[in-house]
Amino acid sequence: MIDDLVAWVLVLAVAAYACGGGADYGAGFWDLVAGGAERGRRPRQLIDHAMAPVWEVNNVWLVFVLVVMWSGFPVMFQAVFSALWAPLLLAVAGLVLRGAGFALRKPTRRLAERRVYGAAFAVSSLLTPFFFGTAVGAVASGRVVPGEPASAEVWTNPTSLFAGAMTVAAAAFLGAVFLTGDARRFAAPDLVGYFRRRALLALAALAALAFAGVFLTRDDAPYVHRGLTHGAGLAVVCVAGVCALGAAWLLLRDAGTQITRGAAVGAVGAVVIAWGLAQRPYLLPTSLTVAQGAGAEATMRWLVIVSVIAVVLVGPALVLLYWLDTRGELE
């Protein structure tokens, strides 16, 4: 029972990173496609202004995921990082370049240098979520097996490429929704419509990919496909669909910022939870169960204690940070 509890802590941490970090990656995606220096000047200014107070804090979830993986499920950690070292290395390289580009672009005065740093930030914001997504797809397809050597086919298969595209689309959707609210908060009505249209476009792309994925995963990732189309997994997928429809309706009506963000986060977070339900009882379908991959009992017990402490101590701090940011108190 304690093994299952720690596994769900891991799933929820992944969901938190997908939603918080996803919005940041999505902002970088819209920076990439904003256009030339003059056309994209105002959207990029908003992205810089909106992301600056809180963008790094979302990587707390990524660190937490890694700690839970290597201490709670060491066999899974070894299998994932042995088989998927290439996409994970590319994703981490993207994180470094993204951070450097974002940090150096704003204070730089020369246009040529700003373009170089801006390109590093924007391109990395596309590649990092894509490669993280391909790693998730490799796990979901059952191609990551303990003891198996690494190969390109493990993360370049149809399910991995589909998951990478889904991750980018989800990030673009979240980023546009959050930037719509930020444009309203910073009194930029032209950018409210600008990002609202892009949020609807990204949601349409996400829906099209999800529909295609139903057929793609049927043969390429049969175990997870069945979990997502039956029982509890299907129920949570339906919740994600309702949240997505609600977000679309709220965007069309130009409704309040917080409720629209809540619907968007609910849609993406529910998909991650549905994935966790679909894999039960496996960490790595269909080669490693939660019970087989769990660490020592004392370690698992301490992970539960640390998780509770994190919720009590770190959770309120994060909520306060986001609340202050949405109220403009961090200007």
Side-chain angles (χ1 to χ4, degrees):
M1 188 172 181
I2 195 170
D3 298 344
D4 289 337
L5 181 58
V6 175
W8 277 109
V9 168
L10 182 61
V11 171
L12 293 175
V14 172
Y17 185 62
C19 295
D24 284 347
Y25 293 130
F29 174 86
W30 296 117
D31 186 296
L32 178 65
V33 299
E38 184 57 35
R39 180 185 173 190
R41 179 177 59 85
R42 278 178 50 74
R44 291 190 177 104
Q45 285 179 341
L46 176 66
I47 290 167
D48 281 350
H49 200 50
M51 287 181 61
V54 298
W55 72 285
E56 269 290 30
V57 75
N58 291 312
N59 285 323
V60 168
W61 298 114
L62 179 59
V63 174
F64 187 70
V65 167
L66 292 174
V67 170
V68 174
M69 275 185 67
W70 82 52
S71 55
F73 304 103
V75 177
M76 176 191 181
F77 182 85
Q78 181 183 28
V80 168
F81 277 81
S82 295
L84 301 173
W85 66 268
L88 292 175
L89 180 64
L90 291 169
V92 170
L95 279 174
V96 174
L97 291 173
R98 184 174 182 273
F102 184 76
L104 294 173
R105 177 173 68 175
K106 196 169 185 178
T108 301
R109 294 289 177 260
R110 294 180 59 183
L111 180 59
E113 293 180 0
R114 284 179 60 85
R115 284 177 171 171
V116 171
Y117 295 138
F121 165 69
V123 173
S124 298
S125 296
L126 171 66
L127 296 181
T128 296
F130 176 78
F131 286 119
F132 275 141
T134 61
V136 170
V139 171
S141 67
R143 289 178 168 87
V144 178
V145 179
E148 291 291 322
S151 70
E153 194 276 334
V154 173
W155 59 278
T156 58
N157 57 81
T159 299
S160 289
L161 298 178
F162 159 74
M166 279 283 289
T167 304
V168 171
F173 168 58
L174 284 171
V177 169
F178 273 66
L179 287 168
T180 299
D182 289 327
R184 185 178 289 109
R185 176 160 58 98
F186 294 127
D190 57 320
L191 293 181
V192 172
Y194 176 92
F195 283 112
R196 190 159 56 92
R197 290 189 296 273
R198 280 154 179 77
L200 290 168
L201 181 63
L203 182 57
L206 193 58
L209 284 168
F211 180 76
V214 173
F215 302 98
L216 184 149
T217 58
R218 183 172 54 193
D219 296 322
D220 199 56
Y223 189 87
V224 169
H225 172 87
R226 178 169 178 77
L228 291 173
T229 53
H230 294 80
L234 177 60
V236 179
V237 167
C238 291
V239 171
V242 170
C243 289
L245 290 173
W249 183 74
L250 292 166
L251 286 166
L252 289 170
R253 290 179 58 86
D254 197 15
T257 297
Q258 299 308 320
I259 190 172
T260 307
R261 286 181 174 181
V265 166
V268 175
V271 170
V272 178
I273 293 171
W275 167 48
L277 287 167
Q279 287 201 176
R280 293 182 306 170
Y282 290 102
L283 291 169
L284 301 174
T286 51
S287 59
L288 184 70
T289 65
V290 172
Q292 291 169 342
E297 183 178 350
T299 301
M300 304 302 278
R301 190 180 302 114
W302 274 107
L303 280 174
V304 172
I305 294 172
V306 169
S307 299
V308 172
I309 293 173
V311 169
V312 173
L313 296 182
V314 181
L318 291 176
V319 171
L320 177 61
L321 177 66
Y322 292 135
W323 183 76
L324 290 172
D325 180 50
T326 57
R327 290 176 61 87
E329 298 293 338
L330 300 178
E331 293 299 307

